[in-house]
Amino acid sequence: MELAFLQWIFRLLMVLILFQGVCVMFYYTPNTHSSRDVMTETLQQLHCAKLRQKFSVIKPAKSIVLKSFTQDLSDFMNCPYKSNQTERELNRIRLQFCCNATETLMLTKNNTADNQTIPYETTTKKKPFQMTAALHSMLPEDIPWSGRRLGRCAVVGSGGILKNSSCGREIDSADFVIRFNLAAVNDSDVGMKTDLVTVNPSQLRSVYKNLEKNPDPLLKRVSVYGNATLIIPAFAYTFCTTNSIKALKVLQSIRPQQPVVFFSPSYLRMLDRFWKGRGLREVRLSTGFMLISTAMELCEHVHVYGFWPFGSDLQERPVPYHYYDQGTPSRHMHKMPEEFVRLLQLHSQGVLTLHLQPCSSPGVDLENHL
Ligand SMILES: *[C@@H]1O[C@H](CO)[C@@H](O)[C@H](O)[C@H]1NC(C)=O
Ligand SMILES: *[C@@H]1O[C@H](CO)[C@@H](O)[C@H](O)[C@H]1NC(C)=O
Ligand SMILES: *[C@@H]1O[C@H](CO)[C@@H](O)[C@H](O)[C@H]1NC(C)=O
Ligand SMILES: *[C@@H]1O[C@H](CO)[C@@H](O)[C@H](O)[C@H]1NC(C)=O
Ligand SMILES: *[C@@H]1O[C@H](CO)[C@@H](O)[C@H](O)[C@H]1NC(C)=O
Ligand SMILES: *[C@@H]1O[C@H](CO)[C@@H](O)[C@H](O)[C@H]1NC(C)=O
Ligand SMILES: *[C@@H]1O[C@H](CO)[C@@H](O)[C@H](O)[C@H]1NC(C)=O
């Protein structure tokens, strides 16, 4: 009887102490957060964890309807980014073993013999290209940044979401910046710094005709990238090769400080096989997706800007397809929405950082501090 009573008193005391503990906890926190804020924050963290889980296993559907996940994606993009070094290194090792960009991204004197045959990237039916001593002598000795791990890389796509994004400063602060198709640069939205930029052979064929007689337009266009390396998929299709070699000859003689290099078609073929094996089925990967893959192997951290294949943004405002023109997507070629879902997966898994919103302006910073 006495014992039971003592036990009862003891329990009562414990409850009081515990209760007091909780009160003290809530009492001392209001300086920074009220108890309501703590609750909200906890709920927010739960919501973010749920979304992170959802998007890390999101399945690439045949057709992706943006409307069905705009709200979730918008919420998720406001969640803190969680990097996962284990996942990042795993991904790097997989890419090294499949494709080895470190050694084989581009044709060099060192990885290509002067009499080697070069099979085309997309076809085995056409006769392979026969390397000549003259062309071989114009290949770079080695990959320009060979031997060093690149730090923070920014891969800048052409998506219209970059318009008015104010991301220029953030992009320019990266250690290595990759751009595509000789896209326009500017301080405010897309930045100026460029280390590697692709040239599309179709561009050479349609816009820069007659290069030997009239090299000025191309020279003017490439000079805005300073000494950045220009990379061309010269052996993707047979039509690409002649114009690419012409561009190499012309630029190398007039602007020797700016390397012009060719993608190794075998590298791109391995990359294609790698992603097809992971369910990404399309005629050919976009150059953007190819170089994001390259960056995941070569860079410590990969930040992706301007990859957005939808006609409206997260606030459901219309956005142009490209930030620099009125172009529209070519549907038969790339499956941009499916590539996008892959990028979203990689972002959720902490492998790369996808930027889909305007970069922080002073106003937004202030909001975060309040
Ligand atoms: C990071 O990735 C690894 C490998 O996929 C996984 O086992 C681990 O749980 C992840 N860590 C976090 C904190 O999510
Ligand atoms: C990449 O290629 C180089 C040269 O062929 C080779 O030495 C290296 O071991 C390769 N790396 C991997 C991970 O296969
Ligand atoms: C070519 O590659 C080999 C093996 O990776 C290396 O030992 C050699 O120094 C390289 N030569 C040049 C000229 O880069
Ligand atoms: C290429 O040249 C090397 C020696 O320079 C020779 O051994 C090899 O047989 C040649 N290969 C072809 C395909 O001509
Ligand atoms: C960008 O800003 C300009 C000027 O404020 C505005 O006219 C234009 O519609 C905006 N473009 C986009 C795509 O938001
Ligand atoms: C480009 O290279 C030239 C020649 O090597 C050099 O003089 C110049 O400073 C470089 N420009 C930049 C922007 O690095
Ligand atoms: C920067 O480029 C974007 C896209 O072409 C354009 O909308 C914007 O007006 C440009 N800003 C400046 C300052 O040139």
Side-chain angles (χ1 to χ4, degrees):
M1 176 64 201
E2 215 174 5
L3 188 67
F5 180 70
L6 276 177
Q7 274 177 346
W8 187 82
I9 293 285
F10 179 71
R11 270 189 216 135
L12 187 67
L13 273 173
M14 286 306 285
V15 167
L16 280 174
I17 288 166
L18 271 177
F19 182 70
Q20 197 182 17
V22 170
C23 289
V24 166
M25 205 175 84
F26 280 144
Y27 183 77
Y28 279 108
T29 40
N31 270 339
T32 47
H33 300 288
S34 71
S35 58
R36 183 182 294 228
D37 283 346
V38 172
M39 279 283 281
T40 317
E41 216 165 84
T42 310
L43 283 177
Q44 188 63 29
Q45 279 170 8
L46 273 172
H47 187 48
C48 284
K50 225 175 76 189
L51 290 173
R52 189 168 291 115
Q53 174 60 22
K54 168 182 165 156
F55 286 121
S56 68
V57 296
I58 184 175
K59 286 273 177 298
K62 273 230 164 54
S63 64
I64 287 131
V65 185
L66 177 63
K67 267 207 158 44
S68 66
F69 64 89
T70 312
Q71 187 56 52
D72 278 356
L73 185 53
S74 168
D75 288 357
F76 183 44
M77 284 295 142
N78 289 324
C79 292
Y81 177 71
K82 275 204 160 57
S83 173
N84 184 332
Q85 183 162 7
T86 313
E87 192 64 45
R88 205 164 61 231
E89 292 307 321
L90 265 175
N91 213 58
R92 189 191 313 286
I93 289 167
R94 285 187 202 118
L95 283 163
Q96 267 168 358
F97 273 89
C98 99
C99 312
N100 204 350
T102 313
E103 292 292 332
T104 68
L105 171 64
M106 60 185 75
L107 300 182
T108 64
K109 285 199 180 77
N110 204 13
N111 65 22
T112 310
D114 63 3
N115 57 1
Q116 194 172 319
T117 55
I118 313 279
Y120 279 90
E121 176 196 331
T122 54
T123 174
T124 50
K125 297 201 180 80
K126 298 277 167 62
K127 202 167 135 260
F129 179 82
Q130 176 68 49
M131 182 54 73
T132 62
L135 179 56
H136 191 267
S137 73
M138 289 191 283
L139 298 181
E141 295 295 328
D142 217 332
I143 295 181
W145 54 87
S146 114
R148 71 188 163 101
R149 169 81 65 90
L150 305 175
R152 185 159 64 87
C153 296
V155 186
V156 186
S158 306
I161 45 163
L162 280 172
K163 263 201 167 164
N164 296 352
S165 70
S166 308
C167 285
R169 255 188 37 206
E170 198 178 300
I171 290 170
D172 280 349
S173 73
D175 301 309
F176 195 86
V177 181
I178 301 175
R179 300 180 191 274
F180 300 90
N181 296 343
L182 301 177
V185 289
N186 79 21
D187 280 337
S188 56
D189 295 335
V190 297
M192 301 292 294
K193 181 176 161 70
T194 309
D195 293 279
L196 181 67
V197 56
T198 70
V199 184
N200 186 335
S202 314
Q203 222 171 357
L204 292 174
R205 185 167 65 169
S206 58
V207 186
Y208 302 103
K209 292 177 205 146
N210 217 353
L211 263 185
E212 282 124 325
K213 290 224 177 70
N214 182 21
D216 288 350
L218 183 62
L219 284 168
K220 190 157 168 261
R221 181 81 176 264
V222 302
S223 65
V224 306
Y225 306 105
N227 295 350
T229 301
L230 305 170
I231 188 164
I232 316 179
F235 304 100
Y237 300 93
T238 50
F239 86 83
C240 302
T241 312
T242 312
N243 287 318
S244 304
I245 294 176
K246 240 183 245 172
L248 169 60
K249 273 186 189 152
V250 167
L251 290 172
Q252 204 171 67
S253 64
I254 311 179
R255 279 182 68 80
Q257 73 272 31
Q258 187 158 31
V260 178
V261 301
F262 294 161
F263 273 109
S264 152
S266 66
Y267 171 73
L268 297 182
R269 206 176 321 113
M270 301 300 276
L271 209 53
D272 185 70
R273 204 175 298 165
F274 178 82
W275 286 110
K276 283 213 168 85
R278 284 165 170 70
L280 189 57
R281 297 186 197 285
E282 52 185 330
V283 180
R284 185 168 180 260
L285 299 172
S286 71
T287 318
F289 199 80
M290 291 169 180
L291 281 180
I292 290 172
S293 304
T294 307
M296 288 193 291
E297 184 186 326
L298 301 182
C299 307
E300 206 58 60
H301 294 274
V302 179
H303 289 260
V304 174
Y305 299 85
F307 281 75
W308 182 252
F310 306 107
S312 54
D313 67 10
L314 286 174
Q315 283 71 43
E316 306 194 6
R317 291 175 303 216
V319 284
Y321 189 61
H322 287 153
Y323 70 79
Y324 50 77
D325 67 15
Q326 300 304 313
T328 50
S330 84
R331 301 218 169 271
H332 58 281
M333 188 66 175
H334 304 307
K335 300 216 166 124
M336 298 300 195
E338 285 180 33
E339 290 186 353
F340 176 78
V341 167
R342 293 301 162 140
L343 297 179
L344 190 50
Q345 250 179 18
L346 291 162
H347 174 97
S348 318
Q349 294 163 354
V351 176
L352 53 71
T353 314
L354 199 50
H355 296 262
L356 301 179
Q357 288 172 314
C359 292
S360 46
S361 58
V364 174
D365 271 345
L366 194 65
E367 221 170 85
N368 285 342
H369 284 296
L370 289 177

